[in-house]
Amino acid sequence: MTGGTLQTEFDFTLPQGYVDDEGTLHKEGRMRLATAADEIKPLQNPRVQSNSSYLTIVLLSRVVTELGDLETIDASVIEELFVTDLEYLQALYERINNQGVNAVETACPDCGEPFEVNAENGSHVTTDSATGGMGSAGVEAGPVSAGGDIGSVGAAESPGFEAADMRAAGTESNESEESESGNPAE
């Protein structure tokens, strides 16, 4: 086992930003890695049980720890985000929880060789073959110009939110089975 530290919090900048009741724009924030409880407890929320799409809102309200100078980030804040910001946070959640880094895959425009870059600062990310983990090489600290800016690079596909939505739908299904048969569904 290596003595490296696990990065559990990731800074972000929202594309549009959250506008509070006083008209203040909040763009800079921080998201932490999700725990098992972060994915399980929202399934008990009545709003999630009646509408599985609400799972995204509850889940993000648990893992977004900072947003501008807001004192609390709750479901009502996440509900008021612009769609582009919500999609941005969903993609960030997927990257950091499924890959362990905030990296996106792109390809060299000259040779087509695929590689990953840090989505926040554009630095080249390399695989550490000794540990199998990802580490930032820091050699290329400038923005990546693969057909534009880093924002144009697509995020890797991952099942995180989709799996959580399926679990929420399964919870609804199990509850209806329980009420019909009188026996708890397993």
Short mmCIF file of all heavy atoms in Angstrom, two decimals, residues 123-186:
data_model
loop_
_atom_site.label_atom_id
_atom_site.label_comp_id
_atom_site.label_asym_id
_atom_site.label_seq_id
_atom_site.Cartn_x
_atom_site.Cartn_y
_atom_site.Cartn_z
N SER A 123 -4.53 20.31 -16.51
CA SER A 123 -3.26 19.60 -16.47
C SER A 123 -3.43 18.16 -16.95
O SER A 123 -4.50 17.57 -16.84
CB SER A 123 -2.67 19.62 -15.06
OG SER A 123 -3.50 18.93 -14.15
N HIS A 124 -2.36 17.61 -17.51
CA HIS A 124 -2.35 16.25 -18.03
C HIS A 124 -2.40 15.28 -16.85
O HIS A 124 -1.68 15.44 -15.88
CB HIS A 124 -1.08 16.04 -18.86
CG HIS A 124 -1.02 14.72 -19.54
ND1 HIS A 124 -0.15 13.75 -19.14
CD2 HIS A 124 -1.71 14.22 -20.59
CE1 HIS A 124 -0.30 12.69 -19.92
NE2 HIS A 124 -1.24 12.96 -20.80
N VAL A 125 -3.26 14.27 -16.93
CA VAL A 125 -3.39 13.26 -15.88
C VAL A 125 -2.81 11.97 -16.42
O VAL A 125 -3.13 11.55 -17.53
CB VAL A 125 -4.87 13.06 -15.48
CG1 VAL A 125 -5.02 11.96 -14.45
CG2 VAL A 125 -5.46 14.35 -14.97
N THR A 126 -1.95 11.34 -15.63
CA THR A 126 -1.33 10.08 -16.05
C THR A 126 -1.72 8.97 -15.10
O THR A 126 -2.05 9.21 -13.94
CB THR A 126 0.21 10.19 -16.07
OG1 THR A 126 0.65 10.52 -14.76
CG2 THR A 126 0.67 11.23 -17.06
N THR A 127 -1.67 7.73 -15.60
CA THR A 127 -1.92 6.58 -14.76
C THR A 127 -0.62 6.18 -14.09
O THR A 127 0.39 5.99 -14.76
CB THR A 127 -2.45 5.39 -15.59
OG1 THR A 127 -3.62 5.82 -16.27
CG2 THR A 127 -2.74 4.21 -14.72
N ASP A 128 -0.66 6.07 -12.78
CA ASP A 128 0.50 5.62 -12.02
C ASP A 128 0.50 4.11 -12.06
O ASP A 128 -0.28 3.46 -11.39
CB ASP A 128 0.41 6.13 -10.58
CG ASP A 128 1.60 5.74 -9.72
OD1 ASP A 128 2.48 5.03 -10.23
OD2 ASP A 128 1.63 6.14 -8.54
N SER A 129 1.38 3.52 -12.86
CA SER A 129 1.35 2.08 -13.06
C SER A 129 1.68 1.30 -11.80
O SER A 129 1.27 0.16 -11.64
CB SER A 129 2.31 1.69 -14.19
OG SER A 129 3.63 2.11 -13.87
N ALA A 130 2.41 1.89 -10.87
CA ALA A 130 2.76 1.19 -9.64
C ALA A 130 1.55 0.99 -8.75
O ALA A 130 1.41 -0.04 -8.10
CB ALA A 130 3.83 1.96 -8.88
N THR A 131 0.63 1.96 -8.71
CA THR A 131 -0.52 1.86 -7.83
C THR A 131 -1.82 1.63 -8.57
O THR A 131 -2.82 1.31 -7.96
CB THR A 131 -0.68 3.15 -6.99
OG1 THR A 131 -0.95 4.23 -7.88
CG2 THR A 131 0.54 3.41 -6.15
N GLY A 132 -1.80 1.83 -9.88
CA GLY A 132 -3.02 1.68 -10.66
C GLY A 132 -3.93 2.88 -10.52
O GLY A 132 -4.98 2.93 -11.10
N GLY A 133 -3.53 3.88 -9.75
CA GLY A 133 -4.35 5.07 -9.54
C GLY A 133 -3.99 6.15 -10.52
O GLY A 133 -3.06 6.03 -11.31
N MET A 134 -4.74 7.23 -10.46
CA MET A 134 -4.49 8.36 -11.34
C MET A 134 -3.75 9.42 -10.57
O MET A 134 -4.05 9.67 -9.42
CB MET A 134 -5.81 8.94 -11.86
CG MET A 134 -6.67 7.93 -12.58
SD MET A 134 -5.93 7.31 -14.07
CE MET A 134 -6.33 8.64 -15.16
N GLY A 135 -2.81 10.07 -11.21
CA GLY A 135 -2.08 11.16 -10.59
C GLY A 135 -1.87 12.27 -11.59
O GLY A 135 -1.77 12.03 -12.78
N SER A 136 -1.79 13.49 -11.12
CA SER A 136 -1.60 14.61 -12.02
C SER A 136 -0.13 14.80 -12.29
O SER A 136 0.67 14.97 -11.39
CB SER A 136 -2.17 15.89 -11.39
OG SER A 136 -1.94 16.98 -12.24
N ALA A 137 0.25 14.72 -13.56
CA ALA A 137 1.65 14.90 -13.92
C ALA A 137 2.07 16.34 -13.73
O ALA A 137 3.22 16.61 -13.43
CB ALA A 137 1.86 14.47 -15.38
N GLY A 138 1.16 17.27 -13.93
CA GLY A 138 1.45 18.67 -13.73
C GLY A 138 2.40 19.26 -14.76
O GLY A 138 2.80 20.40 -14.65
N VAL A 139 2.79 18.49 -15.75
CA VAL A 139 3.73 18.96 -16.75
C VAL A 139 3.05 19.94 -17.70
O VAL A 139 3.62 20.96 -18.04
CB VAL A 139 4.31 17.77 -17.55
CG1 VAL A 139 5.27 18.24 -18.62
CG2 VAL A 139 4.97 16.78 -16.61
N GLU A 140 1.84 19.63 -18.09
CA GLU A 140 1.12 20.48 -19.02
C GLU A 140 0.03 21.22 -18.25
O GLU A 140 -1.11 20.81 -18.21
CB GLU A 140 0.50 19.63 -20.12
CG GLU A 140 1.54 18.83 -20.89
CD GLU A 140 0.89 17.84 -21.81
OE1 GLU A 140 -0.23 18.10 -22.28
OE2 GLU A 140 1.50 16.81 -22.07
N ALA A 141 0.38 22.32 -17.61
CA ALA A 141 -0.56 23.02 -16.73
C ALA A 141 -1.48 23.98 -17.46
O ALA A 141 -2.31 24.59 -16.84
CB ALA A 141 0.21 23.77 -15.65
N GLY A 142 -1.35 24.12 -18.75
CA GLY A 142 -2.20 25.04 -19.49
C GLY A 142 -3.48 24.37 -19.93
O GLY A 142 -3.65 23.17 -19.81
N PRO A 143 -4.42 25.16 -20.45
CA PRO A 143 -5.67 24.58 -20.92
C PRO A 143 -5.45 23.72 -22.15
O PRO A 143 -4.54 23.95 -22.93
CB PRO A 143 -6.54 25.79 -21.25
CG PRO A 143 -5.60 26.93 -21.36
CD PRO A 143 -4.38 26.59 -20.56
N VAL A 144 -6.27 22.73 -22.32
CA VAL A 144 -6.18 21.82 -23.45
C VAL A 144 -6.92 22.42 -24.62
O VAL A 144 -8.00 22.96 -24.47
CB VAL A 144 -6.80 20.45 -23.06
CG1 VAL A 144 -6.84 19.53 -24.25
CG2 VAL A 144 -6.01 19.84 -21.93
N SER A 145 -6.34 22.29 -25.79
CA SER A 145 -6.99 22.87 -26.96
C SER A 145 -7.38 21.79 -27.96
O SER A 145 -7.02 21.84 -29.11
CB SER A 145 -6.07 23.89 -27.63
OG SER A 145 -4.87 23.27 -28.04
N ALA A 146 -8.09 20.79 -27.50
CA ALA A 146 -8.57 19.74 -28.41
C ALA A 146 -9.93 20.18 -28.95
O ALA A 146 -10.97 19.81 -28.44
CB ALA A 146 -8.69 18.42 -27.67
N GLY A 147 -9.89 21.02 -29.95
CA GLY A 147 -11.13 21.48 -30.54
C GLY A 147 -11.82 22.54 -29.71
O GLY A 147 -13.02 22.66 -29.73
N GLY A 148 -11.09 23.28 -28.91
CA GLY A 148 -11.70 24.33 -28.10
C GLY A 148 -11.19 24.28 -26.68
O GLY A 148 -10.07 23.91 -26.43
N ASP A 149 -12.05 24.65 -25.75
CA ASP A 149 -11.63 24.69 -24.35
C ASP A 149 -11.98 23.37 -23.67
O ASP A 149 -12.62 22.50 -24.23
CB ASP A 149 -12.30 25.86 -23.64
CG ASP A 149 -13.81 25.73 -23.60
OD1 ASP A 149 -14.38 25.13 -24.52
OD2 ASP A 149 -14.41 26.23 -22.66
N ILE A 150 -11.58 23.24 -22.43
CA ILE A 150 -11.79 22.02 -21.67
C ILE A 150 -13.27 21.71 -21.52
O ILE A 150 -13.65 20.55 -21.44
CB ILE A 150 -11.10 22.10 -20.29
CG1 ILE A 150 -11.08 20.74 -19.60
CG2 ILE A 150 -11.75 23.10 -19.39
CD1 ILE A 150 -10.08 19.82 -20.15
N GLY A 151 -14.12 22.71 -21.53
CA GLY A 151 -15.54 22.49 -21.40
C GLY A 151 -16.15 21.74 -22.57
O GLY A 151 -17.22 21.18 -22.47
N SER A 152 -15.47 21.72 -23.71
CA SER A 152 -16.02 21.02 -24.87
C SER A 152 -15.67 19.55 -24.88
O SER A 152 -16.14 18.81 -25.71
CB SER A 152 -15.51 21.68 -26.16
OG SER A 152 -14.12 21.48 -26.30
N VAL A 153 -14.85 19.11 -23.94
CA VAL A 153 -14.46 17.71 -23.88
C VAL A 153 -15.54 16.94 -23.14
O VAL A 153 -15.95 17.33 -22.06
CB VAL A 153 -13.09 17.56 -23.16
CG1 VAL A 153 -12.70 16.10 -23.09
CG2 VAL A 153 -12.03 18.37 -23.87
N GLY A 154 -16.00 15.84 -23.70
CA GLY A 154 -17.08 15.05 -23.09
C GLY A 154 -16.62 14.27 -21.88
O GLY A 154 -15.50 13.81 -21.82
N ALA A 155 -17.49 14.12 -20.90
CA ALA A 155 -17.18 13.35 -19.71
C ALA A 155 -17.33 11.86 -20.01
O ALA A 155 -18.07 11.46 -20.89
CB ALA A 155 -18.14 13.73 -18.57
N ALA A 156 -16.58 11.06 -19.27
CA ALA A 156 -16.67 9.61 -19.44
C ALA A 156 -18.05 9.12 -19.01
O ALA A 156 -18.64 9.65 -18.09
CB ALA A 156 -15.59 8.94 -18.59
N GLU A 157 -18.55 8.11 -19.68
CA GLU A 157 -19.85 7.55 -19.33
C GLU A 157 -19.72 6.78 -18.03
O GLU A 157 -18.76 6.06 -17.84
CB GLU A 157 -20.31 6.60 -20.44
CG GLU A 157 -20.61 7.29 -21.74
CD GLU A 157 -21.82 8.20 -21.65
OE1 GLU A 157 -22.77 7.85 -20.96
OE2 GLU A 157 -21.78 9.27 -22.27
N SER A 158 -20.70 6.91 -17.15
CA SER A 158 -20.71 6.14 -15.91
C SER A 158 -22.13 5.99 -15.41
O SER A 158 -22.98 6.83 -15.67
CB SER A 158 -19.83 6.81 -14.87
OG SER A 158 -20.27 8.11 -14.63
N PRO A 159 -22.39 4.91 -14.68
CA PRO A 159 -23.75 4.59 -14.30
C PRO A 159 -24.21 5.15 -12.96
O PRO A 159 -25.27 4.83 -12.51
CB PRO A 159 -23.72 3.06 -14.23
CG PRO A 159 -22.33 2.76 -13.77
CD PRO A 159 -21.47 3.82 -14.43
N GLY A 160 -23.44 5.98 -12.28
CA GLY A 160 -23.74 6.44 -10.92
C GLY A 160 -25.15 6.95 -10.70
O GLY A 160 -25.90 6.37 -9.94
N PHE A 161 -25.53 8.05 -11.31
CA PHE A 161 -26.86 8.60 -11.11
C PHE A 161 -27.91 7.66 -11.67
O PHE A 161 -28.97 7.49 -11.10
CB PHE A 161 -27.01 9.98 -11.77
CG PHE A 161 -26.56 11.09 -10.87
CD1 PHE A 161 -25.36 11.74 -11.10
CD2 PHE A 161 -27.32 11.48 -9.79
CE1 PHE A 161 -24.95 12.75 -10.28
CE2 PHE A 161 -26.91 12.51 -8.96
CZ PHE A 161 -25.72 13.15 -9.20
N GLU A 162 -27.61 7.03 -12.83
CA GLU A 162 -28.58 6.11 -13.41
C GLU A 162 -28.83 4.94 -12.48
O GLU A 162 -29.96 4.52 -12.29
CB GLU A 162 -28.09 5.62 -14.77
CG GLU A 162 -28.02 6.73 -15.81
CD GLU A 162 -27.24 6.33 -17.03
OE1 GLU A 162 -26.84 5.16 -17.15
OE2 GLU A 162 -27.01 7.20 -17.88
N ALA A 163 -27.78 4.40 -11.87
CA ALA A 163 -27.94 3.29 -10.94
C ALA A 163 -28.74 3.72 -9.73
O ALA A 163 -29.61 2.98 -9.26
CB ALA A 163 -26.58 2.75 -10.52
N ALA A 164 -28.47 4.92 -9.24
CA ALA A 164 -29.22 5.43 -8.09
C ALA A 164 -30.68 5.63 -8.46
O ALA A 164 -31.57 5.32 -7.66
CB ALA A 164 -28.60 6.73 -7.58
N ASP A 165 -30.96 6.12 -9.67
CA ASP A 165 -32.33 6.27 -10.12
C ASP A 165 -33.02 4.92 -10.21
O ASP A 165 -34.19 4.77 -9.86
CB ASP A 165 -32.40 6.97 -11.49
CG ASP A 165 -32.13 8.46 -11.40
OD1 ASP A 165 -32.24 9.02 -10.29
OD2 ASP A 165 -31.81 9.06 -12.45
N MET A 166 -32.28 3.90 -10.67
CA MET A 166 -32.85 2.57 -10.77
C MET A 166 -33.14 2.02 -9.38
O MET A 166 -34.16 1.36 -9.17
CB MET A 166 -31.92 1.63 -11.54
CG MET A 166 -31.90 1.95 -13.02
SD MET A 166 -30.72 1.05 -14.06
CE MET A 166 -30.41 -0.46 -13.25
N ARG A 167 -32.25 2.30 -8.41
CA ARG A 167 -32.51 1.86 -7.04
C ARG A 167 -33.75 2.54 -6.50
O ARG A 167 -34.56 1.91 -5.83
CB ARG A 167 -31.30 2.15 -6.15
CG ARG A 167 -30.14 1.21 -6.39
CD ARG A 167 -29.10 1.35 -5.31
NE ARG A 167 -28.54 2.69 -5.22
CZ ARG A 167 -27.50 3.12 -5.91
NH1 ARG A 167 -26.90 2.32 -6.76
NH2 ARG A 167 -27.06 4.36 -5.77
N ALA A 168 -33.92 3.82 -6.80
CA ALA A 168 -35.11 4.54 -6.34
C ALA A 168 -36.36 3.93 -6.97
O ALA A 168 -37.37 3.73 -6.30
CB ALA A 168 -35.01 6.03 -6.68
N ALA A 169 -36.29 3.62 -8.24
CA ALA A 169 -37.44 3.01 -8.91
C ALA A 169 -37.71 1.63 -8.32
O ALA A 169 -38.85 1.25 -8.14
CB ALA A 169 -37.17 2.89 -10.42
N GLY A 170 -36.65 0.90 -7.98
CA GLY A 170 -36.80 -0.41 -7.35
C GLY A 170 -37.45 -0.30 -6.00
O GLY A 170 -38.26 -1.14 -5.60
N THR A 171 -37.14 0.76 -5.26
CA THR A 171 -37.74 0.98 -3.95
C THR A 171 -39.24 1.19 -4.13
O THR A 171 -40.04 0.63 -3.40
CB THR A 171 -37.12 2.22 -3.27
OG1 THR A 171 -35.72 1.98 -3.13
CG2 THR A 171 -37.74 2.46 -1.92
N GLU A 172 -39.62 2.00 -5.12
CA GLU A 172 -41.04 2.23 -5.38
C GLU A 172 -41.72 0.92 -5.75
O GLU A 172 -42.80 0.61 -5.27
CB GLU A 172 -41.21 3.23 -6.54
CG GLU A 172 -40.75 4.62 -6.19
CD GLU A 172 -40.68 5.52 -7.41
OE1 GLU A 172 -41.15 5.10 -8.50
OE2 GLU A 172 -40.18 6.62 -7.30
N SER A 173 -41.06 0.11 -6.59
CA SER A 173 -41.63 -1.15 -7.02
C SER A 173 -41.79 -2.09 -5.83
O SER A 173 -42.82 -2.73 -5.69
CB SER A 173 -40.71 -1.77 -8.07
OG SER A 173 -41.12 -3.08 -8.37
N ASN A 174 -40.78 -2.18 -4.96
CA ASN A 174 -40.84 -3.05 -3.80
C ASN A 174 -41.96 -2.62 -2.86
O ASN A 174 -42.64 -3.46 -2.28
CB ASN A 174 -39.51 -3.06 -3.05
CG ASN A 174 -38.44 -3.81 -3.81
OD1 ASN A 174 -38.73 -4.54 -4.76
ND2 ASN A 174 -37.19 -3.64 -3.40
N GLU A 175 -42.15 -1.32 -2.70
CA GLU A 175 -43.19 -0.85 -1.81
C GLU A 175 -44.57 -1.21 -2.34
O GLU A 175 -45.46 -1.60 -1.60
CB GLU A 175 -43.09 0.66 -1.61
CG GLU A 175 -41.91 1.04 -0.74
CD GLU A 175 -41.68 2.54 -0.72
OE1 GLU A 175 -42.38 3.27 -1.44
OE2 GLU A 175 -40.81 2.97 0.03
N SER A 176 -44.76 -1.13 -3.66
CA SER A 176 -46.05 -1.48 -4.22
C SER A 176 -46.27 -2.98 -4.11
O SER A 176 -47.38 -3.43 -3.87
CB SER A 176 -46.18 -1.00 -5.67
OG SER A 176 -45.24 -1.67 -6.49
N GLU A 177 -45.20 -3.79 -4.27
CA GLU A 177 -45.32 -5.23 -4.12
C GLU A 177 -45.70 -5.56 -2.68
O GLU A 177 -46.51 -6.43 -2.43
CB GLU A 177 -44.01 -5.92 -4.47
CG GLU A 177 -43.69 -5.89 -5.95
CD GLU A 177 -42.28 -6.41 -6.23
OE1 GLU A 177 -41.67 -7.03 -5.32
OE2 GLU A 177 -41.78 -6.21 -7.33
N GLU A 178 -45.09 -4.84 -1.73
CA GLU A 178 -45.36 -5.09 -0.32
C GLU A 178 -46.81 -4.81 0.00
O GLU A 178 -47.47 -5.58 0.69
CB GLU A 178 -44.44 -4.21 0.52
CG GLU A 178 -44.62 -4.38 2.02
CD GLU A 178 -43.65 -3.50 2.78
OE1 GLU A 178 -42.52 -3.34 2.35
OE2 GLU A 178 -44.06 -2.99 3.83
N SER A 179 -47.34 -3.69 -0.52
CA SER A 179 -48.72 -3.33 -0.20
C SER A 179 -49.72 -4.28 -0.86
O SER A 179 -50.78 -4.54 -0.32
CB SER A 179 -49.01 -1.89 -0.60
OG SER A 179 -48.87 -1.76 -1.99
N GLU A 180 -49.36 -4.81 -2.04
CA GLU A 180 -50.28 -5.72 -2.72
C GLU A 180 -50.29 -7.09 -2.05
O GLU A 180 -51.33 -7.70 -1.87
CB GLU A 180 -49.88 -5.87 -4.19
CG GLU A 180 -50.14 -4.62 -5.00
CD GLU A 180 -49.58 -4.74 -6.40
OE1 GLU A 180 -49.14 -5.85 -6.80
OE2 GLU A 180 -49.59 -3.74 -7.12
N SER A 181 -49.12 -7.61 -1.69
CA SER A 181 -49.05 -8.97 -1.18
C SER A 181 -49.15 -9.04 0.33
O SER A 181 -49.43 -10.10 0.86
CB SER A 181 -47.74 -9.63 -1.63
OG SER A 181 -46.65 -8.98 -0.98
N GLY A 182 -48.89 -7.94 1.03
CA GLY A 182 -48.88 -7.95 2.47
C GLY A 182 -47.59 -8.47 3.05
O GLY A 182 -47.40 -8.49 4.26
N ASN A 183 -46.66 -8.91 2.21
CA ASN A 183 -45.35 -9.38 2.66
C ASN A 183 -44.29 -8.40 2.23
O ASN A 183 -44.34 -7.90 1.12
CB ASN A 183 -45.02 -10.76 2.06
CG ASN A 183 -45.97 -11.82 2.56
OD1 ASN A 183 -46.42 -11.77 3.69
ND2 ASN A 183 -46.28 -12.77 1.68
N PRO A 184 -43.30 -8.17 3.09
CA PRO A 184 -42.20 -7.27 2.68
C PRO A 184 -41.44 -7.87 1.52
O PRO A 184 -41.13 -9.05 1.52
CB PRO A 184 -41.32 -7.15 3.91
CG PRO A 184 -42.05 -7.81 5.04
CD PRO A 184 -43.16 -8.62 4.46
N ALA A 185 -41.17 -7.07 0.53
CA ALA A 185 -40.35 -7.51 -0.60
C ALA A 185 -38.90 -7.47 -0.20
O ALA A 185 -38.47 -6.60 0.53
CB ALA A 185 -40.60 -6.60 -1.81
N GLU A 186 -38.13 -8.42 -0.69
CA GLU A 186 -36.72 -8.45 -0.33
C GLU A 186 -35.88 -7.86 -1.41
O GLU A 186 -36.15 -7.89 -2.55
CB GLU A 186 -36.28 -9.87 -0.06
CG GLU A 186 -36.93 -10.42 1.17
CD GLU A 186 -36.43 -11.81 1.54
OE1 GLU A 186 -35.54 -12.34 0.88
OE2 GLU A 186 -36.96 -12.36 2.48
#
